Amino acid sequence: MTAPAITKPKALVGQKIKRKEDPRLITGTATYVDDIKLPGMYHACILRSPYAAAGIANINVAAALELPGVIAVYTGADVKKVGCVPCALTGDHVMLMPGTLSGLRVPEHTILAQDRVYFVGHPVAVVIATDRYIARDAVDRVEVDWVPGEAVAHPEKALEPDAPAVHPQWPDNVAFTYRQHNGDADQAFAQAEVVVKQRIVSPRLVACPMEPRGMVADYHKGEKSVTLYTSTQIPHLLRSIMAAVLGIPESKMRVIAPEVGGGFGCKADFYAEEALMCFVAMQLGAPVKWIETRREHFLSTVQGRGHVDYYEIAAQRDGTILAIRAKIIQDVGAYQQLLTPIIPILSVLMLPGLYRCKAFSAEVVGAFTNIVPTDAYRGAGRPEATYCVERMVDMLAAELGMDPAEIRFKNFIEKQEFPFATGTGLVYDSGNYERVLKQALDAVDYTALREEQRQGRTEGKLLGIGISTYGEISAFGPSPFTPAGGWESATVRIEPSGAVTVYSGIKPQGQGEETTFAQIAADQLGVGLDDVTIVHGDTAMVQYGIGTFGSRATAVGGTAMYLAIEEIKKKMCKYAENMLGSDDVSFVDGVCTCNKTGKTATLAEIAGTSYRAMKLPPGTEPGLTATTYWEPQNFTFPFGAHIAVTEIDPETGGVKIRRYVAVDDCGRLINPLIVAGQVHGGIAQGISQALWEEAVYDDSGQLLTGEFTDYTIPKAGMMPWMETSHTETPSPVNPLGVKGVGEAGAIGAPPAIVNSVVDALSHLGVRHLDMPLTPEKIWRAIQGGRA
């Protein structure tokens, strides 16, 4: 074999490459759960409680069963032997937390209500019929004798001494208490020259993915096995939990997650409906499908945020931040879902933000309410922390008469201080916070904007400039209280043809990993992008994995793949040594070359030889396959600076976003086009949270914003032009240098918008406004200032 002329392939990592996934998605040829049709499949419809708190005296299903086409009706009495919906936080995790978690109460969460219901939308019965329309009609025939009770729908009211108990077995509604502190915060506050205090609300949000939840469960009677097709972010974890809940061997449980039309955290959970459909399929010996309606999504899918926070910040007159104190009241809802208690603790961990301050004191109180539970939603605890800290820094600047940018520069952790140990027990991996803020300030011409604002106020114009500098925990690693652990897996297989198949434990829902992973693998192996296939989402095909959440997919899952490829390279060199008759072989760009003779063997040649079992080196096995499980030794910490420039209409309170500039640093960029898309999507959700979105309940626990006519999500025309750019500060935590970007925009945008609007009104005496900043709320603030 004489060395051919080798053309080095162009590097794919760092290139703006269109997503490989998109053709099937935009042409309607992708497969979602609702596209799945199995022979003999039945359809389910769930009867949900119209009350937030009520007893169930009796359920009569006779009329429903009489309807032609109805196969069965199941109530709480039928599912008593099925396990409960679990909360993942256990005593072992509590013991390892950086702070102290006490009084954790986990109420029994059965898959159908037993003798009482705890929130509007609580599943009470399920009707199975030959089509979904018959099932829906039959639900109306199920008769329930209700005993209405008193509900509590606000977390602060739930904690009052005379509040009705959500769960009667406990005397109050405290779901848990978490405390953490560092340094002497009390002394810092006593010595501070300035103390600023504020109550800050982060309202409940509804995830609203394009695809609501859905599932198809199928039972194979001969094998005694269950297959569940479901729209989930965590197929393997779901399989493990489901097997335990159903009481079957895990080897008999298969979970398949086809296309997932958005998750935003709400699909990184275990739901009663998933267990219910598996139970029904096992009872009937036939497949059954349930697809969530949009109304059901509002009522019964976990919601995000739900904070009422009391913050204090202590500082010196020169702007030096000395300490932060916080009491966080987390609206838990009626139950502890999979990750419910963990989410507000993430807020505590990011309490210092990007600032050098290490003295802090924090308390989290979880409050049961008669509302659907809260759990992870894009950013999961980090947006709440960033929003509060960035609001407090702006209020501190106003109190001191300092520029908001100046006070941030004064308190930033400096680039030479990394890795930086925070007071909350984290170690920030790398960063250059001054650079991103300076880049953002230069982009908006900050000095000129401030002068325009000053002159405009003399003419009655309301121009605001809002700064937000954020950091977040990403790429969840060896967190002592992450129930799933921080590792991820990958199997890489070179096919006999030389094509590459990667089996990844991650489960994308729009993040583009089929493209970014292919870019990494193609570069490392010297093959074309289309020669790489990424397989995910099927527990029968993919080795055990953790899933996709917390911006961990590329940093952890991509690294697992990278390390598996390194093992493949070693195997290829070993095969090539045998083929080329030399022990001095190196692999570069898809070719093994003998460094002594110049003879070569291509990846495809080596792969074909390995599978044909010809000339195998001693002690080797046929084929080229490697599996790696990798756990990082730290988190990664993306960061950035966002600036919003707003104009307020003084007559209506309407907000116009004149400019939105975002400078983000997510470490090494694998695909700038996909990164920009992730940032754009996050900013859209963050702006929407700041201006429009809020799940509103009345005092009886009835949802008043239960559909899109009442709950505003943004349309394209409501979004500003987003001016995005990036800096690259590689992470030392993983060999790819990546950090994560999926939640950046959703973290940075809310404080940027609110800071901007409050800045526009500050000369009228407006100090703070809670989200969402509706025109009415702003108009009333303007009128109060004018008075």
Side-chain angles (χ1 to χ4, degrees):
M1 286 175 278
T2 304
I6 301 296
T7 302
K8 178 178 171 58
K10 182 179 180 181
L12 295 170
V13 169
Q15 300 298 314
K16 294 182 178 180
I17 295 173
K18 291 183 178 179
R19 299 197 315 175
K20 295 177 65 176
E21 302 92 323
D22 285 346
R24 70 176 186 264
L25 297 175
I26 63 179
T27 58
T29 54
T31 300
Y32 294 85
V33 172
D34 200 24
D35 295 316
I36 295 169
K37 298 176 177 62
L38 301 179
M41 185 172 70
Y42 296 132
H43 295 262
C45 186
I46 296 171
L47 172 66
R48 298 184 180 277
S49 170
Y51 295 99
I56 301 172
N58 184 57
I59 302 177
N60 188 338
V61 302
L65 288 170
E66 291 173 356
L67 189 66
V70 171
I71 304 301
V73 181
Y74 299 97
T75 67
D78 300 305
V79 300
K80 287 184 177 180
K81 293 184 179 180
V82 180
C84 292
V85 177
C87 171
L89 197 59
T90 67
D92 291 339
H93 297 113
V94 171
M95 291 172 62
L96 294 170
M97 282 183 171
T100 302
L101 182 72
S102 60
L104 178 65
R105 293 168 172 170
V106 181
E108 188 177 75
H109 186 178
T110 56
I111 65 173
L112 286 174
Q114 298 297 310
D115 59 345
R116 61 188 300 116
V117 292
Y118 297 93
F119 63 96
V120 175
H122 195 153
V124 175
V126 60
V127 174
I128 312 300
T130 52
D131 69 49
R132 63 187 302 180
Y133 304 103
I134 294 174
R136 180 64 189 84
D137 289 343
V139 160
D140 291 337
R141 294 187 172 205
V142 177
E143 299 173 357
V144 182
D145 293 334
W146 298 103
V147 183
E150 189 177 0
V152 61
H154 189 282
E156 287 187 297
K157 291 182 179 179
L159 296 177
E160 293 176 357
D162 59 348
V166 175
H167 296 280
Q169 67 268 38
W170 293 309
D172 56 47
N173 293 317
V174 177
F176 60 86
T177 302
Y178 178 81
R179 294 182 178 90
Q180 189 180 353
H181 67 276
N182 188 70
D184 194 336
D186 291 340
Q187 183 179 2
F189 272 88
Q191 296 176 348
E193 296 172 344
V194 177
V195 174
V196 176
K197 302 179 181 181
Q198 184 60 48
R199 177 182 182 270
I200 301 176
V201 177
S202 293
R204 275 178 172 255
L205 303 177
V206 182
C208 300
M210 288 187 292
E211 178 204 28
R213 291 184 295 135
M215 54 216 65
V216 175
D218 189 20
Y219 181 63
H220 192 294
K221 190 173 182 179
E223 298 177 353
K224 296 183 179 179
S225 64
V226 178
T227 299
L228 176 66
Y229 302 84
T230 184
S231 184
T232 184
Q233 300 172 222
I234 50 170
H236 285 91
L237 295 177
L238 180 58
R239 181 190 71 171
S240 295
I241 298 170
M242 187 66 74
V245 169
L246 297 176
I248 64 174
E250 193 166 347
S251 59
K252 297 296 184 180
M253 184 73 223
R254 180 183 185 184
V255 172
I256 301 173
E259 300 290 353
V260 176
F264 310 126
C266 78
K267 295 179 183 176
D269 220 313
F270 181 94
Y271 286 98
E273 292 91 344
E274 288 167 317
L276 181 60
M277 292 308 118
C278 290
F279 165 80
V280 170
M282 293 173 71
Q283 294 297 304
L284 298 178
V288 59
K289 175 190 285 189
W290 174 75
I291 301 297
E292 182 182 60
T293 66
R294 187 59 68 177
R295 177 69 173 173
E296 284 181 299
H297 178 78
F298 277 92
L299 289 175
S300 58
T301 295
V302 295
Q303 297 177 356
R305 314 296 188 243
H307 272 214
V308 179
D309 300 338
Y310 291 84
Y311 268 72
E312 301 177 57
I313 190 167
Q316 300 295 73
R317 283 285 172 193
D318 66 356
T320 301
I321 299 172
L322 301 177
I324 299 171
R325 280 199 297 231
K327 179 176 181 179
I328 298 170
I329 299 174
Q330 171 68 64
D331 184 351
V332 167
Y335 288 110
Q336 307 272 18
Q337 280 284 144
L338 194 64
L339 303 174
T340 300
I342 295 173
I343 305 305
I345 297 174
L346 293 175
S347 295
V348 174
L349 293 182
M350 288 307 298
L351 192 69
L354 304 186
Y355 308 112
R356 199 177 294 106
C357 170
K358 289 192 176 185
F360 80 96
S361 176
E363 179 185 64
V364 180
V365 179
F368 285 123
T369 57
N370 289 109
I371 306 178
V372 65
T374 55
D375 206 311
Y377 172 73
R378 198 168 191 172
R382 287 93 86 203
E384 296 93 311
T386 298
Y387 173 64
C388 289
V389 170
E390 289 300 283
R391 284 296 301 124
M392 294 304 297
V393 169
D394 256 36
M395 283 187 275
L396 176 60
E399 182 72 19
L400 295 172
M402 291 181 68
D403 184 272
E406 179 188 357
I407 199 168
R408 286 172 169 83
F409 283 127
K410 184 173 186 62
N411 289 283
F412 277 157
I413 301 162
E414 297 181 3
K415 62 181 180 180
Q416 66 270 17
E417 296 181 84
F418 292 96
F420 182 84
T422 74
T424 60
L426 302 176
V427 178
Y428 291 177
D429 56 344
S430 63
N432 189 335
Y433 302 156
E434 289 188 4
R435 181 172 61 172
V436 291
L437 181 53
K438 285 179 179 177
Q439 188 167 316
L441 293 171
D442 290 345
V444 298
D445 196 353
Y446 186 67
T447 302
L449 267 179
R450 284 297 181 194
E451 178 59 25
E452 179 187 349
Q453 181 187 53
R454 186 189 66 79
Q455 293 183 1
R457 283 178 174 175
T458 64
E459 303 168 7
K461 294 181 180 179
L462 302 178
L463 175 70
I465 308 159
I467 297 173
S468 166
T469 51
Y470 76 90
E472 65 160 318
I473 311 170
S474 287
F476 285 98
S479 167
F481 53 89
T482 300
W487 57 269
E488 195 47 85
S489 70
T491 294
V492 178
R493 186 175 73 206
I494 311 295
E495 309 294 351
S497 64
V500 180
T501 303
V502 177
Y503 298 88
S504 177
I506 59 96
K507 176 55 201 164
Q509 324 96 49
Q511 294 91 341
E513 270 79 22
E514 289 183 30
T515 304
T516 53
F517 279 30
Q519 289 177 257
I520 297 167
D523 271 4
Q524 292 299 311
L525 293 169
V527 300
L529 189 71
D530 292 334
D531 294 323
V532 181
T533 300
I534 310 297
V535 179
H536 53 80
D538 187 339
T539 62
M541 296 179 65
V542 177
Q543 70 292 331
Y544 203 98
I546 301 303
T548 298
F549 50 87
S551 298
R552 70 186 301 274
T554 304
V556 188
T559 298
M561 178 190 68
Y562 172 87
L563 296 175
I565 290 171
E566 291 296 299
E567 292 299 314
I568 290 282
K569 288 180 182 179
K570 293 176 184 177
K571 291 183 178 181
M572 284 195 293
C573 285
K574 195 169 185 179
Y575 283 123
E577 288 172 359
N578 196 52
M579 294 168 64
L580 301 176
S582 173
D583 60 359
D584 186 8
V585 172
S586 57
F587 177 84
V588 179
D589 297 329
V591 179
C592 278
T593 303
C594 176
N595 296 319
K596 296 177 180 177
T597 66
K599 291 182 179 181
T600 63
T602 66
L603 179 149
E605 290 170 339
I606 297 168
T609 299
S610 73
Y611 280 97
R612 290 193 297 271
M614 297 171 58
K615 299 183 179 180
L616 289 181
T620 60
E621 298 176 350
L624 290 173
T625 302
T627 298
T628 301
Y629 295 84
W630 184 72
E631 181 174 47
Q633 296 306 301
N634 190 13
F635 306 108
T636 61
F637 295 88
F639 58 93
H642 290 204
I643 297 179
V645 182
T646 59
E647 295 176 352
I648 312 300
D649 185 335
E651 301 305 318
T652 66
V655 178
K656 176 185 177 182
I657 303 174
R658 197 171 87 179
R659 292 189 70 181
Y660 195 97
V661 171
V663 182
D664 298 286
D665 194 311
C666 57
R668 186 184 184 195
L669 299 181
I670 304 298
N671 187 324
L673 188 64
I674 288 178
V675 168
Q678 288 290 294
V679 171
H680 289 171
I683 290 172
Q685 283 186 272
I687 291 175
S688 188
Q689 173 181 344
L691 296 180
W692 304 300
E693 291 190 51
E694 181 181 14
V696 180
Y697 291 81
D698 67 14
D699 289 341
S700 67
Q702 292 292 335
L703 180 61
L704 304 180
T705 53
E707 49 197 20
F708 287 142
T709 54
D710 302 308
Y711 185 94
T712 303
I713 60 171
K715 299 179 176 65
M718 298 161 69
M719 287 291 106
W721 182 261
M722 301 174 194
E723 304 170 53
T724 60
S725 62
H726 301 271
T727 62
E728 289 191 58
T729 308
S731 172
V733 173
N734 61 72
L736 298 175
V738 299
K739 291 192 172 189
V741 74
E743 296 147 317
I747 296 173
I753 295 294
V754 176
N755 283 346
S756 183
V757 171
V758 173
D759 181 60
L761 306 178
S762 60
H763 64 294
L764 300 177
V766 176
R767 184 172 177 272
H768 177 71
L769 293 172
D770 279 322
M771 300 181 289
L773 303 184
T774 60
E776 179 187 1
K777 189 179 293 184
I778 295 172
W779 181 85
R780 291 186 181 278
I782 293 171
Q783 302 313 305
R786 285 174 173 170

